Amino acid sequence: MEKFDCAIVGGGMVGAATALSLSQLGLTVALIEKYQPKDFAPEQDFDLRVSAISLASQHLLEQLNAWQQIARWRVCPYRRLGVWELQSSYTEFNADEINQTHLGHIVENRLIQLSLWQQIEKTPRVKLMCPDAVISFEQNEDCLALTLESEKQLQVKVLIAADGANSQIRQKAGIGLTGWDYAQDAMLINVKTETSQQDITWQQFFPTGPVAMLPMPGKHASLVWYHQKQELARLSQLTNEQLTNEINQHFPPRLGQVQVVDKGAFSLTRRHANQYVKGRVILLGDAAHTINPLAGQGVNLGFKDVKALQTVFAKAIGEGQAWHASDTLANYEKARRYDNLLMMSTMDAFYSAFSNDNPLLKAVRNFGLMAANKAPLLKSKALAYACGV
């Protein structure tokens, strides 16, 4: 039986970042993942799955020595964020307002994971077990015993679930959820653009859901089209040429002419675990919470979880306490639960406010956007919070 301080199930962005973060504290880590990310080549098309990486998330990736490689591959920085429903209510957030050079970067999820894996391969304290999965585990008073698909037996002090929204570890641990499915779905669309690389990401709201543009390197962009489930099912069946025509009809003129390269649709759900810690099982990232993607905060919340767990463990180790004690694990949940809930509730408020076609509510929300432009202090504070600075 192999012994480790921690076992992490899920080697995606959050799980891989957790493995490296905890190894920096001197802990030994088993990282268990079913699938290996595909290698990168510059000539590859852009992946559909991208993230708006905040400044705080960038700083974490720099700390883990992963950002440097990501930046050498391909990223797109953005300095501005535009939001509007009516053109008269257009509101723009700018990096200058918080004394930063940029607000964040649009990055393909796979490249983040791949760079983290490259660092893991250089880290003797992390053992990557791929392909593999946890079949069962048993919690004892001072450890957990894990059985893997490979028939390996592991003994660890804590088991960390970073295995996504449908977390098997969360289910096996008996941790419940609260949440719901939203009435809308979302479509991700990779396009070639007539305009050169832009430094702005924008979102226009409609009663049927917003449309958004995320800039990508070169003459490319990632579009997000929120709509009712039935309409997105129809759009998903269109050819790329037909979908291009639909985009040109329904997206704002500032997008310019585009050509669809790839597309895919996914459902929108809100899920929040009833607890982040149960015994020696800890939930991070989507295993603990999934959020409406309106502001692109999903993976950034996951990286905040990673940083909080590292900070809590480091404090306990520094004070000569047991980093795996129940009180220490509880401090992680205290550090993250309220912040995650606040961001989830804020996104739900935006979703509810802008998905209603009531004329009075429409006037109120557009007035609110216009008022934001006239309250620079409040605007900059909200922007700094979203960026994690």
Side-chain angles (χ1 to χ4, degrees):
M1 178 177 286
E2 293 187 80
K3 295 183 179 181
F4 298 87
D5 291 316
C6 316
I8 301 170
V9 180
M13 296 182 288
V14 170
T18 305
L20 286 171
S21 293
L22 298 186
S23 74
Q24 290 182 341
L25 301 180
L27 303 181
T28 56
V29 181
L31 180 60
I32 305 162
E33 169 58 41
K34 283 189 175 183
Y35 306 105
Q36 183 172 342
K38 181 182 176 183
D39 288 338
F40 172 75
E43 65 273 12
Q44 290 172 344
D45 288 336
F46 292 99
D47 294 346
L48 277 175
R49 291 287 185 174
V50 301
S51 294
I53 296 301
S54 70
L55 292 169
S57 294
Q58 178 186 336
H59 295 159
L60 173 65
L61 293 169
E62 288 172 344
Q63 174 198 322
L64 302 177
N65 298 314
W67 182 256
Q68 296 84 337
Q69 180 60 69
I70 296 168
R72 282 194 292 268
W73 283 332
R74 55 190 187 197
V75 300
C76 183
Y78 61 93
R79 299 187 66 257
R80 298 177 294 145
L81 167 62
V83 182
W84 77 100
E85 181 175 22
L86 302 176
Q87 191 59 45
S88 59
S89 66
Y90 179 82
T91 300
E92 187 171 293
F93 299 85
N94 194 301
D96 293 340
E97 297 169 11
I98 54 172
N99 299 313
Q100 299 291 331
T101 58
H102 57 280
L103 298 178
H105 289 81
I106 307 300
V107 191
E108 295 155 84
N109 292 358
R110 174 175 60 97
L111 301 191
I112 299 172
Q113 180 190 14
L114 188 59
S115 183
L116 289 166
W117 277 42
Q118 288 185 356
Q119 292 303 313
I120 285 170
E121 290 173 357
K122 303 174 186 177
T123 307
R125 291 191 182 92
V126 181
K127 183 172 182 178
L128 180 59
M129 300 179 178
C130 178
D132 217 333
V134 174
I135 294 296
S136 63
F137 63 88
E138 180 180 345
Q139 295 205 53
N140 301 312
E141 184 175 342
D142 57 352
C143 67
L144 295 100
L146 281 64
T147 301
L148 308 187
E149 279 186 357
S150 61
E151 299 184 355
K152 291 179 180 177
Q153 304 284 321
L154 306 183
Q155 182 178 304
V156 299
K157 294 183 175 69
V158 297
L159 174 59
I160 298 171
D163 52 341
N166 298 314
S167 170
Q168 293 298 306
I169 299 302
R170 184 188 64 222
Q171 295 176 36
K172 291 178 187 297
I175 299 175
L177 290 170
T178 57
W180 56 81
D181 294 337
Y182 295 99
Q184 297 170 343
D185 284 354
M187 175 177 277
L188 299 177
I189 312 166
N190 280 355
V191 298
K192 293 180 180 178
T193 63
E194 65 176 352
T195 56
S196 299
Q197 180 175 320
Q198 300 187 57
D199 71 348
I200 185 170
T201 177
W202 51 253
Q203 192 160 218
Q204 182 177 12
F205 290 91
F206 296 94
T208 54
V211 296
M213 190 281 293
L214 310 178
M216 296 291 285
K219 291 188 173 184
H220 293 86
S222 174
L223 306 183
V224 189
W225 194 344
Y226 300 81
H227 214 296
Q228 305 303 319
K229 295 178 181 293
Q230 185 175 357
E231 176 62 8
L232 273 196
R234 181 188 73 82
L235 293 172
S236 297
Q237 299 302 313
L238 300 180
T239 65
N240 286 354
E241 183 178 357
Q242 291 170 330
L243 183 57
T244 296
N245 292 332
E246 293 275 354
I247 290 169
N248 290 332
Q249 292 177 35
H250 292 91
F251 273 63
R254 70 177 61 204
L255 177 63
Q257 295 298 307
V258 300
Q259 177 186 347
V260 173
V261 177
D262 197 8
K263 60 184 183 292
F266 61 96
S267 297
L268 303 181
T269 61
R270 170 183 165 138
R271 299 286 185 270
H272 201 194
N274 294 340
Q275 56 195 108
Y276 291 3
V277 176
K278 186 172 183 180
R280 294 177 175 270
V281 176
I282 309 168
L283 307 184
L284 275 82
D286 284 355
H289 45 78
T290 59
I291 185 173
N292 192 306
L294 276 175
Q297 288 297 310
V299 72
N300 294 312
L301 291 182
F303 283 145
K304 283 186 175 182
D305 292 349
V306 175
K307 189 63 180 176
L309 187 67
Q310 184 193 46
T311 300
V312 166
F313 281 8
K315 184 175 185 293
I317 293 170
E319 295 176 352
Q321 300 174 354
W323 58 267
H324 48 81
S326 58
D327 288 349
T328 303
L329 303 187
N331 287 335
Y332 158 70
E333 179 159 357
K334 290 176 184 176
R336 293 301 305 140
R337 189 171 189 86
Y338 174 76
D339 185 59
N340 287 332
L341 186 59
L342 176 62
M343 184 61 76
M344 295 169 76
S345 300
T346 301
M347 290 305 100
D348 285 342
F350 272 107
Y351 172 83
S352 298
F354 282 94
S355 60
N356 192 312
D357 206 24
N358 180 286
L360 179 60
L361 184 57
K362 186 173 184 178
V364 170
R365 66 194 180 220
N366 279 278
F367 175 80
L369 287 176
M370 288 186 286
N373 274 329
K374 298 180 180 180
L377 181 60
L378 180 62
K379 186 179 173 185
S380 62
K381 285 185 177 295
L383 186 59
Y385 175 74
C387 292
V389 296

